[in-house]
mmCIF file of all heavy atoms in Angstrom:
data_model
loop_
_atom_site.group_PDB
_atom_site.id
_atom_site.type_symbol
_atom_site.label_atom_id
_atom_site.label_comp_id
_atom_site.label_asym_id
_atom_site.label_seq_id
_atom_site.Cartn_x
_atom_site.Cartn_y
_atom_site.Cartn_z
ATOM 1 N N GLY A 1 -18.982 -42.644 31.639
ATOM 2 C CA GLY A 1 -17.920 -43.580 31.283
ATOM 3 C C GLY A 1 -18.579 -44.847 30.786
ATOM 4 O O GLY A 1 -19.422 -44.801 29.901
ATOM 5 N N ASP A 2 -18.237 -45.973 31.400
ATOM 6 C CA ASP A 2 -18.899 -47.228 31.052
ATOM 7 C C ASP A 2 -20.374 -47.187 31.449
ATOM 8 O O ASP A 2 -21.210 -47.801 30.819
ATOM 9 C CB ASP A 2 -18.201 -48.401 31.741
ATOM 10 C CG ASP A 2 -16.786 -48.598 31.213
ATOM 11 O OD1 ASP A 2 -16.521 -48.183 30.072
ATOM 12 O OD2 ASP A 2 -15.964 -49.162 31.947
ATOM 13 N N ASN A 3 -20.667 -46.486 32.536
ATOM 14 C CA ASN A 3 -22.044 -46.295 33.001
ATOM 15 C C ASN A 3 -22.227 -44.804 33.252
ATOM 16 O O ASN A 3 -21.272 -44.060 33.388
ATOM 17 C CB ASN A 3 -22.295 -47.049 34.320
ATOM 18 C CG ASN A 3 -22.145 -48.543 34.141
ATOM 19 O OD1 ASN A 3 -22.852 -49.145 33.350
ATOM 20 N ND2 ASN A 3 -21.215 -49.139 34.867
ATOM 21 N N ASP A 4 -23.466 -44.364 33.299
ATOM 22 C CA ASP A 4 -23.716 -42.959 33.620
ATOM 23 C C ASP A 4 -23.830 -42.804 35.128
ATOM 24 O O ASP A 4 -24.546 -43.549 35.779
ATOM 25 C CB ASP A 4 -25.012 -42.479 32.952
ATOM 26 C CG ASP A 4 -24.876 -42.387 31.443
ATOM 27 O OD1 ASP A 4 -23.755 -42.145 30.978
ATOM 28 O OD2 ASP A 4 -25.883 -42.552 30.749
ATOM 29 N N HIS A 5 -23.132 -41.830 35.684
ATOM 30 C CA HIS A 5 -23.143 -41.548 37.117
ATOM 31 C C HIS A 5 -23.493 -40.073 37.309
ATOM 32 O O HIS A 5 -22.869 -39.212 36.692
ATOM 33 C CB HIS A 5 -21.773 -41.831 37.739
ATOM 34 C CG HIS A 5 -21.316 -43.234 37.522
ATOM 35 N ND1 HIS A 5 -20.545 -43.612 36.457
ATOM 36 C CD2 HIS A 5 -21.560 -44.362 38.229
ATOM 37 C CE1 HIS A 5 -20.302 -44.903 36.517
ATOM 38 N NE2 HIS A 5 -20.919 -45.391 37.579
ATOM 39 N N LEU A 6 -24.467 -39.798 38.143
ATOM 40 C CA LEU A 6 -24.921 -38.432 38.352
ATOM 41 C C LEU A 6 -25.053 -38.123 39.832
ATOM 42 O O LEU A 6 -25.432 -38.983 40.617
ATOM 43 C CB LEU A 6 -26.300 -38.218 37.702
ATOM 44 C CG LEU A 6 -26.423 -38.504 36.214
ATOM 45 C CD1 LEU A 6 -27.889 -38.492 35.800
ATOM 46 C CD2 LEU A 6 -25.637 -37.494 35.409
ATOM 47 N N VAL A 7 -24.762 -36.882 40.196
ATOM 48 C CA VAL A 7 -25.075 -36.355 41.514
ATOM 49 C C VAL A 7 -25.781 -35.026 41.268
ATOM 50 O O VAL A 7 -25.226 -34.139 40.627
ATOM 51 C CB VAL A 7 -23.809 -36.132 42.377
ATOM 52 C CG1 VAL A 7 -24.170 -35.457 43.680
ATOM 53 C CG2 VAL A 7 -23.092 -37.445 42.622
ATOM 54 N N ASP A 8 -27.016 -34.901 41.724
ATOM 55 C CA ASP A 8 -27.799 -33.685 41.538
ATOM 56 C C ASP A 8 -28.327 -33.199 42.872
ATOM 57 O O ASP A 8 -28.559 -34.002 43.783
ATOM 58 C CB ASP A 8 -28.987 -33.933 40.599
ATOM 59 C CG ASP A 8 -28.567 -34.149 39.163
ATOM 60 O OD1 ASP A 8 -27.680 -33.413 38.687
ATOM 61 O OD2 ASP A 8 -29.134 -35.046 38.500
ATOM 62 N N ILE A 9 -28.549 -31.885 42.983
ATOM 63 C CA ILE A 9 -29.089 -31.289 44.204
ATOM 64 C C ILE A 9 -30.375 -30.539 43.858
ATOM 65 O O ILE A 9 -30.392 -29.703 42.956
ATOM 66 C CB ILE A 9 -28.076 -30.333 44.862
ATOM 67 C CG1 ILE A 9 -26.813 -31.094 45.260
ATOM 68 C CG2 ILE A 9 -28.703 -29.646 46.077
ATOM 69 C CD1 ILE A 9 -25.710 -30.204 45.788
ATOM 70 N N PHE A 10 -31.434 -30.860 44.588
ATOM 71 C CA PHE A 10 -32.716 -30.180 44.477
ATOM 72 C C PHE A 10 -33.047 -29.591 45.851
ATOM 73 O O PHE A 10 -32.581 -30.089 46.870
ATOM 74 C CB PHE A 10 -33.824 -31.168 44.080
ATOM 75 C CG PHE A 10 -33.669 -31.734 42.704
ATOM 76 C CD1 PHE A 10 -32.837 -32.818 42.466
ATOM 77 C CD2 PHE A 10 -34.371 -31.192 41.647
ATOM 78 C CE1 PHE A 10 -32.691 -33.350 41.198
ATOM 79 C CE2 PHE A 10 -34.237 -31.721 40.367
ATOM 80 C CZ PHE A 10 -33.394 -32.796 40.147
ATOM 81 N N TYR A 11 -33.891 -28.562 45.896
ATOM 82 C CA TYR A 11 -34.235 -27.963 47.176
ATOM 83 C C TYR A 11 -35.656 -27.410 47.181
ATOM 84 O O TYR A 11 -36.257 -27.204 46.128
ATOM 85 C CB TYR A 11 -33.245 -26.855 47.549
ATOM 86 C CG TYR A 11 -33.315 -25.637 46.647
ATOM 87 C CD1 TYR A 11 -34.103 -24.542 46.994
ATOM 88 C CD2 TYR A 11 -32.599 -25.575 45.468
ATOM 89 C CE1 TYR A 11 -34.177 -23.430 46.170
ATOM 90 C CE2 TYR A 11 -32.656 -24.475 44.642
ATOM 91 C CZ TYR A 11 -33.452 -23.403 44.996
ATOM 92 O OH TYR A 11 -33.525 -22.307 44.182
ATOM 93 N N ILE A 12 -36.156 -27.191 48.398
ATOM 94 C CA ILE A 12 -37.451 -26.546 48.622
ATOM 95 C C ILE A 12 -37.218 -25.445 49.644
ATOM 96 O O ILE A 12 -36.719 -25.709 50.741
ATOM 97 C CB ILE A 12 -38.498 -27.531 49.177
ATOM 98 C CG1 ILE A 12 -38.705 -28.703 48.234
ATOM 99 C CG2 ILE A 12 -39.820 -26.810 49.439
ATOM 100 C CD1 ILE A 12 -39.577 -29.807 48.827
ATOM 101 N N LYS A 13 -37.576 -24.211 49.299
ATOM 102 C CA LYS A 13 -37.513 -23.122 50.276
ATOM 103 C C LYS A 13 -38.839 -23.078 51.027
ATOM 104 O O LYS A 13 -39.900 -23.273 50.441
ATOM 105 C CB LYS A 13 -37.276 -21.769 49.595
ATOM 106 C CG LYS A 13 -35.898 -21.623 49.010
ATOM 107 C CD LYS A 13 -35.529 -20.204 48.657
ATOM 108 C CE LYS A 13 -36.412 -19.570 47.636
ATOM 109 N NZ LYS A 13 -35.939 -18.245 47.196
ATOM 110 N N SER A 14 -38.766 -22.847 52.320
ATOM 111 C CA SER A 14 -39.953 -22.750 53.170
ATOM 112 C C SER A 14 -40.899 -23.934 52.980
ATOM 113 O O SER A 14 -42.053 -23.772 52.598
ATOM 114 C CB SER A 14 -40.703 -21.443 52.905
ATOM 115 O OG SER A 14 -39.900 -20.341 53.199
ATOM 116 N N PRO A 15 -40.422 -25.159 53.250
ATOM 117 C CA PRO A 15 -41.302 -26.322 53.090
ATOM 118 C C PRO A 15 -42.411 -26.306 54.145
ATOM 119 O O PRO A 15 -42.324 -25.574 55.134
ATOM 120 C CB PRO A 15 -40.354 -27.499 53.315
ATOM 121 C CG PRO A 15 -39.278 -26.946 54.185
ATOM 122 C CD PRO A 15 -39.117 -25.507 53.774
ATOM 123 N N PRO A 16 -43.446 -27.111 53.950
ATOM 124 C CA PRO A 16 -44.519 -27.188 54.951
ATOM 125 C C PRO A 16 -43.955 -27.600 56.311
ATOM 126 O O PRO A 16 -42.989 -28.364 56.390
ATOM 127 C CB PRO A 16 -45.445 -28.277 54.401
ATOM 128 C CG PRO A 16 -45.057 -28.462 52.977
ATOM 129 C CD PRO A 16 -43.644 -28.019 52.831
ATOM 130 N N THR A 17 -44.550 -27.101 57.375
ATOM 131 C CA THR A 17 -44.066 -27.434 58.714
ATOM 132 C C THR A 17 -44.570 -28.786 59.186
ATOM 133 O O THR A 17 -44.031 -29.338 60.130
ATOM 134 C CB THR A 17 -44.489 -26.353 59.723
ATOM 135 O OG1 THR A 17 -45.914 -26.200 59.684
ATOM 136 C CG2 THR A 17 -43.835 -25.023 59.388
ATOM 137 N N SER A 18 -45.603 -29.323 58.533
ATOM 138 C CA SER A 18 -46.086 -30.651 58.909
ATOM 139 C C SER A 18 -45.268 -31.709 58.181
ATOM 140 O O SER A 18 -44.486 -31.400 57.287
ATOM 141 C CB SER A 18 -47.568 -30.782 58.550
ATOM 142 O OG SER A 18 -47.723 -30.657 57.147
ATOM 143 N N GLY A 19 -45.445 -32.950 58.557
ATOM 144 C CA GLY A 19 -44.712 -34.045 57.931
ATOM 145 C C GLY A 19 -44.925 -34.096 56.431
ATOM 146 O O GLY A 19 -46.036 -33.890 55.946
ATOM 147 N N SER A 20 -43.872 -34.317 55.699
ATOM 148 C CA SER A 20 -43.944 -34.381 54.242
ATOM 149 C C SER A 20 -43.180 -35.602 53.746
ATOM 150 O O SER A 20 -42.297 -36.113 54.427
ATOM 151 C CB SER A 20 -43.329 -33.126 53.616
ATOM 152 O OG SER A 20 -44.022 -31.969 54.015
ATOM 153 N N THR A 21 -43.508 -36.047 52.552
ATOM 154 C CA THR A 21 -42.824 -37.173 51.934
ATOM 155 C C THR A 21 -42.101 -36.691 50.693
ATOM 156 O O THR A 21 -42.673 -35.974 49.875
ATOM 157 C CB THR A 21 -43.824 -38.276 51.536
ATOM 158 O OG1 THR A 21 -44.490 -38.733 52.709
ATOM 159 C CG2 THR A 21 -43.120 -39.438 50.842
ATOM 160 N N ILE A 22 -40.837 -37.073 50.554
ATOM 161 C CA ILE A 22 -40.088 -36.798 49.335
ATOM 162 C C ILE A 22 -39.954 -38.126 48.607
ATOM 163 O O ILE A 22 -39.456 -39.099 49.160
ATOM 164 C CB ILE A 22 -38.707 -36.196 49.643
ATOM 165 C CG1 ILE A 22 -38.883 -34.831 50.303
ATOM 166 C CG2 ILE A 22 -37.858 -36.102 48.385
ATOM 167 C CD1 ILE A 22 -37.593 -34.187 50.747
ATOM 168 N N ALA A 23 -40.434 -38.167 47.377
ATOM 169 C CA ALA A 23 -40.393 -39.395 46.584
ATOM 170 C C ALA A 23 -39.589 -39.138 45.319
ATOM 171 O O ALA A 23 -39.670 -38.067 44.732
ATOM 172 C CB ALA A 23 -41.803 -39.851 46.226
ATOM 173 N N CYS A 24 -38.804 -40.117 44.916
ATOM 174 C CA CYS A 24 -37.993 -40.009 43.711
ATOM 175 C C CYS A 24 -38.274 -41.219 42.842
ATOM 176 O O CYS A 24 -38.191 -42.355 43.310
ATOM 177 C CB CYS A 24 -36.511 -39.949 44.108
ATOM 178 S SG CYS A 24 -35.415 -39.732 42.712
ATOM 179 N N THR A 25 -38.619 -40.971 41.589
ATOM 180 C CA THR A 25 -38.896 -42.058 40.660
ATOM 181 C C THR A 25 -37.821 -42.058 39.592
ATOM 182 O O THR A 25 -37.608 -41.053 38.920
ATOM 183 C CB THR A 25 -40.277 -41.873 39.998
ATOM 184 O OG1 THR A 25 -41.270 -41.807 41.028
ATOM 185 C CG2 THR A 25 -40.585 -43.019 39.051
ATOM 186 N N PHE A 26 -37.125 -43.180 39.449
ATOM 187 C CA PHE A 26 -36.076 -43.319 38.447
ATOM 188 C C PHE A 26 -36.673 -43.993 37.213
ATOM 189 O O PHE A 26 -37.331 -45.013 37.322
ATOM 190 C CB PHE A 26 -34.916 -44.159 38.989
ATOM 191 C CG PHE A 26 -34.242 -43.553 40.187
ATOM 192 C CD1 PHE A 26 -34.545 -43.975 41.464
ATOM 193 C CD2 PHE A 26 -33.297 -42.547 40.022
ATOM 194 C CE1 PHE A 26 -33.926 -43.409 42.571
ATOM 195 C CE2 PHE A 26 -32.672 -41.974 41.117
ATOM 196 C CZ PHE A 26 -32.983 -42.408 42.392
ATOM 197 N N GLY A 27 -36.426 -43.418 36.048
ATOM 198 C CA GLY A 27 -36.925 -43.998 34.808
ATOM 199 C C GLY A 27 -35.916 -44.967 34.216
ATOM 200 O O GLY A 27 -34.717 -44.830 34.404
ATOM 201 N N GLY A 28 -36.414 -45.984 33.529
ATOM 202 C CA GLY A 28 -35.519 -46.926 32.878
ATOM 203 C C GLY A 28 -34.882 -47.892 33.848
ATOM 204 O O GLY A 28 -35.345 -48.093 34.970
ATOM 205 N N ASN A 29 -33.778 -48.477 33.443
ATOM 206 C CA ASN A 29 -33.068 -49.466 34.250
ATOM 207 C C ASN A 29 -31.987 -48.763 35.061
ATOM 208 O O ASN A 29 -30.806 -48.803 34.713
ATOM 209 C CB ASN A 29 -32.470 -50.538 33.335
ATOM 210 C CG ASN A 29 -31.827 -51.659 34.118
ATOM 211 O OD1 ASN A 29 -32.148 -51.859 35.289
ATOM 212 N ND2 ASN A 29 -30.924 -52.381 33.491
ATOM 213 N N LEU A 30 -32.388 -48.090 36.121
ATOM 214 C CA LEU A 30 -31.466 -47.295 36.919
ATOM 215 C C LEU A 30 -31.432 -47.760 38.364
ATOM 216 O O LEU A 30 -32.412 -48.274 38.885
ATOM 217 C CB LEU A 30 -31.871 -45.821 36.901
ATOM 218 C CG LEU A 30 -31.897 -45.138 35.546
ATOM 219 C CD1 LEU A 30 -32.418 -43.724 35.688
ATOM 220 C CD2 LEU A 30 -30.512 -45.116 34.923
ATOM 221 N N THR A 31 -30.307 -47.551 38.997
ATOM 222 C CA THR A 31 -30.171 -47.762 40.429
ATOM 223 C C THR A 31 -29.802 -46.410 41.031
ATOM 224 O O THR A 31 -28.958 -45.703 40.492
ATOM 225 C CB THR A 31 -29.043 -48.767 40.736
ATOM 226 O OG1 THR A 31 -29.359 -49.999 40.098
ATOM 227 C CG2 THR A 31 -28.890 -48.979 42.227
ATOM 228 N N GLY A 32 -30.427 -46.051 42.117
ATOM 229 C CA GLY A 32 -30.135 -44.747 42.698
ATOM 230 C C GLY A 32 -30.412 -44.711 44.176
ATOM 231 O O GLY A 32 -30.911 -45.667 44.758
ATOM 232 N N GLY A 33 -30.077 -43.608 44.744
ATOM 233 C CA GLY A 33 -30.333 -43.374 46.154
ATOM 234 C C GLY A 33 -30.712 -41.927 46.365
ATOM 235 O O GLY A 33 -30.424 -41.066 45.534
ATOM 236 N N VAL A 34 -31.357 -41.651 47.474
ATOM 237 C CA VAL A 34 -31.797 -40.301 47.786
ATOM 238 C C VAL A 34 -31.404 -39.989 49.223
ATOM 239 O O VAL A 34 -31.611 -40.819 50.117
ATOM 240 C CB VAL A 34 -33.330 -40.164 47.622
ATOM 241 C CG1 VAL A 34 -33.798 -38.793 48.040
ATOM 242 C CG2 VAL A 34 -33.743 -40.472 46.200
ATOM 243 N N ILE A 35 -30.836 -38.831 49.436
ATOM 244 C CA ILE A 35 -30.510 -38.353 50.779
ATOM 245 C C ILE A 35 -31.261 -37.045 50.989
ATOM 246 O O ILE A 35 -31.246 -36.174 50.116
ATOM 247 C CB ILE A 35 -28.999 -38.119 50.941
ATOM 248 C CG1 ILE A 35 -28.240 -39.428 50.749
ATOM 249 C CG2 ILE A 35 -28.687 -37.506 52.301
ATOM 250 C CD1 ILE A 35 -26.735 -39.253 50.694
ATOM 251 N N THR A 36 -31.926 -36.919 52.127
ATOM 252 C CA THR A 36 -32.629 -35.675 52.428
ATOM 253 C C THR A 36 -32.061 -35.052 53.698
ATOM 254 O O THR A 36 -31.540 -35.748 54.565
ATOM 255 C CB THR A 36 -34.141 -35.912 52.621
ATOM 256 O OG1 THR A 36 -34.335 -36.763 53.751
ATOM 257 C CG2 THR A 36 -34.757 -36.544 51.391
ATOM 258 N N ALA A 37 -32.154 -33.733 53.773
ATOM 259 C CA ALA A 37 -31.698 -33.008 54.956
ATOM 260 C C ALA A 37 -32.573 -31.776 55.121
ATOM 261 O O ALA A 37 -33.104 -31.238 54.152
ATOM 262 C CB ALA A 37 -30.238 -32.597 54.810
ATOM 263 N N SER A 38 -32.728 -31.346 56.345
ATOM 264 C CA SER A 38 -33.509 -30.160 56.644
ATOM 265 C C SER A 38 -32.659 -29.201 57.470
ATOM 266 O O SER A 38 -31.979 -29.625 58.413
ATOM 267 C CB SER A 38 -34.773 -30.556 57.429
ATOM 268 O OG SER A 38 -35.513 -29.413 57.765
ATOM 269 N N TYR A 39 -32.679 -27.933 57.117
ATOM 270 C CA TYR A 39 -31.893 -26.911 57.816
ATOM 271 C C TYR A 39 -32.818 -25.778 58.233
ATOM 272 O O TYR A 39 -33.785 -25.476 57.543
ATOM 273 C CB TYR A 39 -30.793 -26.360 56.900
ATOM 274 C CG TYR A 39 -29.902 -27.433 56.330
ATOM 275 C CD1 TYR A 39 -30.113 -27.921 55.045
ATOM 276 C CD2 TYR A 39 -28.875 -27.980 57.080
ATOM 277 C CE1 TYR A 39 -29.305 -28.924 54.523
ATOM 278 C CE2 TYR A 39 -28.066 -28.986 56.563
ATOM 279 C CZ TYR A 39 -28.289 -29.448 55.283
ATOM 280 O OH TYR A 39 -27.495 -30.437 54.771
ATOM 281 N N GLN A 40 -32.508 -25.139 59.343
ATOM 282 C CA GLN A 40 -33.316 -23.999 59.786
ATOM 283 C C GLN A 40 -32.472 -22.740 59.779
ATOM 284 O O GLN A 40 -31.253 -22.787 59.696
ATOM 285 C CB GLN A 40 -33.899 -24.237 61.176
ATOM 286 C CG GLN A 40 -32.887 -24.254 62.305
ATOM 287 C CD GLN A 40 -33.569 -24.549 63.631
ATOM 288 O OE1 GLN A 40 -34.296 -25.530 63.762
ATOM 289 N NE2 GLN A 40 -33.320 -23.699 64.596
ATOM 290 N N ASP A 41 -33.142 -21.587 59.825
ATOM 291 C CA ASP A 41 -32.510 -20.266 59.787
ATOM 292 C C ASP A 41 -31.709 -20.056 58.507
ATOM 293 O O ASP A 41 -30.625 -19.479 58.520
ATOM 294 C CB ASP A 41 -31.615 -20.043 61.015
ATOM 295 C CG ASP A 41 -32.410 -20.057 62.311
ATOM 296 O OD1 ASP A 41 -33.588 -19.636 62.280
ATOM 297 O OD2 ASP A 41 -31.870 -20.500 63.336
ATOM 298 N N VAL A 42 -32.249 -20.511 57.382
ATOM 299 C CA VAL A 42 -31.605 -20.345 56.081
ATOM 300 C C VAL A 42 -32.107 -19.057 55.445
ATOM 301 O O VAL A 42 -33.297 -18.752 55.494
ATOM 302 C CB VAL A 42 -31.929 -21.551 55.165
ATOM 303 C CG1 VAL A 42 -31.378 -21.339 53.769
ATOM 304 C CG2 VAL A 42 -31.392 -22.832 55.775
ATOM 305 N N ASP A 43 -31.199 -18.302 54.836
ATOM 306 C CA ASP A 43 -31.563 -17.083 54.109
ATOM 307 C C ASP A 43 -32.512 -17.470 52.976
ATOM 308 O O ASP A 43 -32.133 -18.212 52.070
ATOM 309 C CB ASP A 43 -30.301 -16.424 53.554
ATOM 310 C CG ASP A 43 -30.579 -15.115 52.834
ATOM 311 O OD1 ASP A 43 -31.649 -14.967 52.212
ATOM 312 O OD2 ASP A 43 -29.700 -14.234 52.889
ATOM 313 N N GLN A 44 -33.752 -17.002 53.002
ATOM 314 C CA GLN A 44 -34.750 -17.384 52.013
ATOM 315 C C GLN A 44 -34.573 -16.654 50.684
ATOM 316 O O GLN A 44 -35.089 -17.085 49.660
ATOM 317 C CB GLN A 44 -36.161 -17.168 52.554
ATOM 318 C CG GLN A 44 -36.496 -18.067 53.721
ATOM 319 C CD GLN A 44 -36.474 -19.533 53.336
ATOM 320 O OE1 GLN A 44 -37.264 -19.982 52.512
ATOM 321 N NE2 GLN A 44 -35.550 -20.293 53.913
ATOM 322 N N THR A 45 -33.849 -15.548 50.675
ATOM 323 C CA THR A 45 -33.605 -14.823 49.436
ATOM 324 C C THR A 45 -32.451 -15.447 48.659
ATOM 325 O O THR A 45 -32.536 -15.674 47.458
ATOM 326 C CB THR A 45 -33.290 -13.346 49.723
ATOM 327 O OG1 THR A 45 -34.360 -12.792 50.482
ATOM 328 C CG2 THR A 45 -33.109 -12.560 48.442
ATOM 329 N N THR A 46 -31.350 -15.723 49.343
ATOM 330 C CA THR A 46 -30.162 -16.317 48.715
ATOM 331 C C THR A 46 -29.700 -17.489 49.571
ATOM 332 O O THR A 46 -28.758 -17.358 50.359
ATOM 333 C CB THR A 46 -29.030 -15.267 48.595
ATOM 334 O OG1 THR A 46 -29.569 -14.075 48.025
ATOM 335 C CG2 THR A 46 -27.910 -15.782 47.716
#
């Protein structure tokens, strides 16, 4: 519209079991936010 607004979903299957960092770099003059969540017992095929 007057500004661009996006909601996107990214994922990692079987992430490392040790502590990890998720970093997001926004290009240009953007404002954004990142939400992370971890789930267990997820079907790894689908």
Side-chain angles (χ1 to χ4, degrees):
D2 294 336
N3 297 300
D4 291 331
H5 303 92
L6 303 170
V7 174
D8 289 318
I9 299 174
F10 294 83
Y11 67 94
I12 301 172
K13 290 195 299 187
S14 299
T17 56
S18 63
S20 299
T21 300
I22 295 176
C24 183
T25 302
F26 298 99
N29 185 21
L30 300 176
T31 300
V34 176
I35 298 172
T36 63
S38 178
Y39 305 98
Q40 69 182 53
D41 297 328
V42 175
D43 183 327
Q44 295 297 296
T45 304
T46 311

